[in-house]
Amino acid sequence: MIASLKEAVNFGGVVAFTGAGVSAESGIPTYRGTGGFWTKYDPDKYASIDYFEQDPSYYWRFFRDTRLDLLRHPKPNPAHLALAELETRGKLQAVITQNIDGLHQEAGSRKVIELHGSSRKFHCLECCRSYLLEEIEAELEKHLPPLCADCNGILRPDIVFFGEMLPPGAIEEAMDLASRASLLLVIGSSLVVYPAAQIPMAAKSCGARLAIINDEPTPADGLSDWVLMGKAGEILPQLL
Ligand code: OAD
């Protein structure tokens, strides 16, 4: 099975669609399943825009206690590195990711569409001044939520909370790339969060072949030309 998928990858026209599972081997927990963030933290409190607007300190405490350390020492794993290498070799056109950890870029991927934003960038809710991770680390030790150095406004991450729209143009660009792909590699996603989860179906209906690489079954397995069950960091390097 891996040999025929490798042949299809070699043909080119590949687009990757990734979720939290691609970063699991970098030590970042997934959202669902054993040990997932949402088994310990209620996403209605920690990931919803309504709740953030009521009390941003919940999100910021979650960020400080669970995310900050992981983001400080980014470690792309063999799955991220294999995707970057496929792009360098001209086989992979883009990575469409639901992840906010920046690990694809850290691995060297250049064309990355972040459907759910980035947890390495922030801005002030009042004056819109932008901040990078390094700039808010010290502020987080002093204030929770962190405040803008210019106007004392509350800072927010440039991520998509539940209840918000995706970044302008992101889903359209992702759909366009997926619909023109020869092969969509779907890696490490439970495929339950929409609109992102409709991308594999859209690609398939436009003629792309689908390969699912995940360590558990997904709702798109029945549609797929290849289902490779296992760890992304072990499977993807075999496609090079
Ligand atoms: P999930 O946590 O829902 O799913 C991760 C998938 O990866 C699961 O099916 C795991 O079994 C699988 N997995 C875990 N480790 C793996 C490994 N080493 N190799 C291969 N597969 C592995 O994450 P997403 O589908 O990305 O949204 O979640 C989608 C969205 O829900 C996230 O972007 C986030 C979340 O709430 C927002 O915050 C808006």
Side-chain angles (χ1 to χ4, degrees):
M1 178 161 297
I2 196 104
S4 64
L5 179 57
K6 191 171 172 178
E7 206 173 295
V9 166
N10 243 326
F11 182 76
V14 182
V15 170
F17 173 72
T18 66
V22 81
S23 294
E25 289 154 82
S26 293
I28 301 182
T30 56
Y31 294 97
R32 300 169 184 80
T34 318
F37 279 125
W38 301 157
T39 61
K40 296 183 197 133
Y41 298 89
D42 177 358
D44 288 342
K45 274 197 184 140
Y46 294 92
S48 100
I49 189 61
D50 288 345
Y51 217 88
F52 184 82
E53 282 171 356
Q54 270 176 49
D55 185 355
S57 60
Y58 262 91
Y59 171 81
W60 279 112
R61 194 166 296 115
F62 166 71
F63 179 86
R64 186 192 62 191
D65 297 347
T66 68
R67 285 254 168 210
L68 188 55
D69 206 39
L70 298 167
L71 290 167
R72 241 188 235 134
H73 310 289
K75 284 193 218 92
N77 68 52
H80 299 106
L81 295 169
L83 291 174
E85 178 61 22
L86 285 174
E87 185 183 8
T88 302
R89 292 185 189 183
K91 305 297 179 193
L92 183 95
Q93 294 172 340
V95 176
I96 302 164
T97 189
Q98 298 166 88
N99 298 345
I100 54 178
D101 54 34
L103 288 181
H104 286 300
Q105 293 92 327
E106 196 66 33
S109 285
R110 290 180 300 273
K111 177 78 179 164
V112 181
I113 298 165
E114 294 178 310
L115 292 176
H116 295 163
S118 168
S119 61
R120 294 176 169 278
K121 297 184 206 141
F122 309 86
H123 70 269
C124 171
L125 284 169
E126 298 300 324
C127 72
C128 295
R129 176 175 160 180
S130 297
Y131 289 84
L132 294 174
L133 184 65
E134 305 75 57
E135 296 173 284
I136 63 146
E137 277 193 59
E139 174 60 17
L140 259 181
E141 281 169 20
K142 287 184 267 166
H143 299 116
L144 203 93
L147 302 174
C148 177
D150 283 349
C151 73
N152 243 20
I154 291 174
L155 303 187
R156 67 157 284 171
D158 289 4
I159 62 165
V160 176
F161 284 100
F162 284 118
E164 289 191 300
M165 305 287 280
L166 301 196
I171 193 76
E172 291 79 3
E173 190 180 7
M175 286 291 188
D176 182 52
L177 281 161
S179 64
R180 288 186 290 109
S182 305
L183 169 66
L184 187 74
L185 298 176
V186 180
I187 308 155
S189 177
S190 58
L191 298 179
V192 296
V193 173
Y194 283 78
Q198 75 198 37
I199 289 172
M201 295 40 156
K204 184 73 184 173
S205 68
C206 292
R209 291 195 286 170
L210 274 191
I212 309 274
I213 297 164
N214 211 62
D215 73 355
E216 64 172 15
T218 78
D221 288 2
L223 280 181
S224 300
D225 301 86
W226 293 269
V227 177
L228 298 174
M229 194 93 85
K231 290 192 185 305
E234 290 169 10
I235 295 171
L236 283 172
Q238 296 179 54
L239 299 178
L240 291 173

